[in-house]
Amino acid sequence: MEGINMEYVHQSVLAHEVLAQLVPQGSHPIMIDCTLGEGGHSYSFLSTYPDLRVIGLDRDPNILEKAKFRLRSFGDRFIPVNTWFDEFLADYEGEAPAIVLFDLGISVYHYEESHRGFSFNRDEALDMRLDPSAEISALEIVNSYTEKEIADIIYQYGEERYSRRIASVICRERNDRGITQSNELAELIRRAVPPSYRYGRIHPATRTFQALRIAVNHELERIVPAVERAIEILRPQGRVGVISFHSLEDRPVKYLFRRKADGCVCPPEALRCTCDGKPEIKIITKKPIIPSEEECMSNPPSRSAKLRVAEKLGDAHE
Ligand SMILES: C[S@@+](CC[C@H](N)C(=O)[O-])C[C@H]1O[C@@H](n2cnc3c(N)ncnc32)[C@H](O)[C@@H]1O
């Protein structure tokens, strides 16, 4: 595969825990790996369960090529699809899957190899698109959005308390040439924030970069519709697992699971239930599963991971 490095740089997060929680039931089960990445999780599942078939989704065509190469020995047990997971699931009419897995966000590959400006430590063109045909990249946001729009993005998607200062410096410094490089933006941010924050636990540009990435790829809007649809299409006793990396991803999944486990959709002020809603799932992880200390040490990007698992109710033999 010319131009693409076929070494794998991403270490799958919570790999043992995911395998232990998501055991495919039934004969010739199907798994949908909604965030295939370099294919680490899918590789473990395909190697562990010889009659499992995996549909692997990723919107990034380059990382999909890496996964296809890695999983080539599984032949037609592995079906790659270059798509957004919410769009794929919305139209899915195939066999009911036994497992649907989401490992949200981006991969180490994106920071280290994609050359799309995800990393504030590199001199790369600001882009951050997973879908190369998407109209809006980080470059457009930084150079053409209003100061208020930029501040709102940084605040909402990065939970960055200095969002207004950062947006103001971006808008002051972008001139005819614009801000084009990731390290150039990182340096502006570093200068925009107070010294105490500049030398804090995380790089001062971390939250702004996260926010831009989320905005460019509409990451948050995709999660709830996709997980909800995953629950709908699962076979009875099938399981959905969601690994998230920050509260903006985790919180909506937690509330969705609660709502689906409760069944009632009456407004909170209703005195009694009139909706006749039935529970659709059982929550398996009352508290999310987090990585062991060893995993956090050996794979620092796993530090903030949380795995939530739910099982679809119903009789598998119906
Ligand atoms: C954390 S990585 C997955 C790593 C993978 N589980 C492994 O073990 O190698 C997330 C992947 O999902 C992709 N992705 C993120 N959001 C997506 C979406 N809404 N639709 C499709 N792919 C998405 C990213 O391009 C990235 O490759």
Side-chain angles (χ1 to χ4, degrees):
M1 221 65 61
E2 218 177 305
I4 299 181
N5 174 13
M6 289 299 165
E7 297 288 313
Y8 304 105
V9 289
H10 184 90
Q11 220 172 302
S12 297
V13 166
L14 290 165
H16 299 295
E17 293 80 353
V18 166
L19 265 186
Q21 290 292 331
L22 304 178
V23 176
Q25 307 290 327
S27 64
H28 302 287
I30 292 212
M31 164 174 176
I32 304 182
D33 182 347
C34 291
T35 47
L36 180 69
E38 289 179 335
H41 283 118
S42 280
Y43 187 93
S44 317
F45 276 91
L46 285 161
S47 317
T48 309
Y49 301 106
D51 66 345
L52 180 73
R53 287 160 296 155
V54 171
I55 303 174
L57 318 178
D58 207 294
R59 189 58 196 91
D60 181 338
N62 295 333
I63 202 166
L64 191 72
E65 285 307 315
K66 291 191 85 173
K68 275 157 84 172
F69 187 74
R70 184 181 206 169
L71 303 173
R72 66 196 182 287
S73 63
F74 297 105
D76 57 10
R77 290 176 54 214
F78 169 61
I79 303 142
V81 189
N82 181 209
T83 180
W84 291 113
F85 55 58
D86 51 322
E87 293 179 5
F88 177 87
L89 293 175
D91 294 339
Y92 185 76
E93 286 181 345
E95 228 173 286
I99 297 173
V100 182
L101 173 65
F102 296 85
D103 178 12
L104 298 171
I106 57 171
S107 159
V108 171
Y109 157 84
H110 288 104
Y111 296 106
E112 296 194 355
E113 289 183 7
S114 73
H115 307 294
R116 276 174 253 161
F118 287 104
S119 167
F120 42 73
N121 291 319
R122 291 169 191 258
D123 181 10
E124 293 176 350
L126 272 178
D127 183 327
M128 302 196 188
R129 285 172 302 173
L130 294 179
D131 171 2
S133 66
E135 275 178 20
I136 305 290
S137 73
L139 188 75
E140 272 83 52
I141 296 183
V142 165
N143 291 292
S144 66
Y145 281 26
T146 64
E147 184 173 327
K148 177 169 184 325
E149 284 169 336
I150 296 177
D152 288 349
I153 286 175
I154 299 174
Y155 184 70
Q156 281 170 20
Y157 299 149
E159 299 183 308
E160 169 60 71
R161 73 184 122 139
Y162 297 114
S163 56
R164 299 209 177 282
R165 278 190 191 212
I166 294 171
S168 146
V169 170
I170 288 175
C171 292
R172 201 175 61 221
E173 297 287 322
R174 63 185 185 189
N175 43 34
D176 296 342
R177 200 179 61 83
I179 300 164
T180 61
Q181 301 303 110
S182 47
N183 58 352
E184 183 190 0
L185 176 62
E187 178 53 22
L188 283 182
I189 297 169
R190 202 184 65 79
R191 283 195 269 122
V193 300
S196 56
Y197 194 60
R198 220 172 278 164
Y199 304 107
R201 195 177 53 84
I202 57 168
H203 188 289
T206 308
R207 290 170 178 276
T208 300
F209 271 60
Q210 170 187 303
L212 288 172
R213 188 199 94 202
I214 289 176
V216 166
N217 297 296
H218 303 282
E219 286 180 33
L220 299 182
E221 294 107 282
R222 300 179 188 281
I223 298 173
V224 168
V227 178
E228 194 159 13
R229 177 73 182 138
I231 292 170
E232 221 169 271
I233 63 172
L234 269 178
R235 73 197 291 281
Q237 293 171 22
R239 287 191 174 189
V240 54
V242 185
I243 304 174
S244 62
F245 291 86
H246 50 82
S247 57
L248 295 171
E249 293 171 342
D250 180 55
R251 219 177 298 129
V253 174
K254 175 167 95 177
Y255 291 126
L256 174 66
F257 276 11
R258 276 194 198 158
R259 184 157 60 77
K260 294 281 174 186
D262 186 34
C264 173
V265 290
C266 293
E269 62 278 10
L271 294 178
R272 61 185 182 85
C273 171
T274 51
C275 74
D276 204 25
K278 303 263 181 303
E280 291 171 54
I281 57 168
K282 173 168 85 179
I283 297 174
I284 303 297
T285 47
K286 299 288 176 238
K287 285 231 159 74
I289 298 176
I290 57 172
S292 64
E293 254 175 59
E294 289 101 286
E295 178 169 358
C296 296
M297 301 269 280
S298 69
N299 184 23
S302 73
R303 270 182 315 227
S304 52
K306 284 184 177 169
L307 167 65
R308 293 187 186 271
V309 178
E311 183 173 299
K312 172 118 167 193
L313 294 175
D315 183 349
H317 303 291
E318 265 168 13

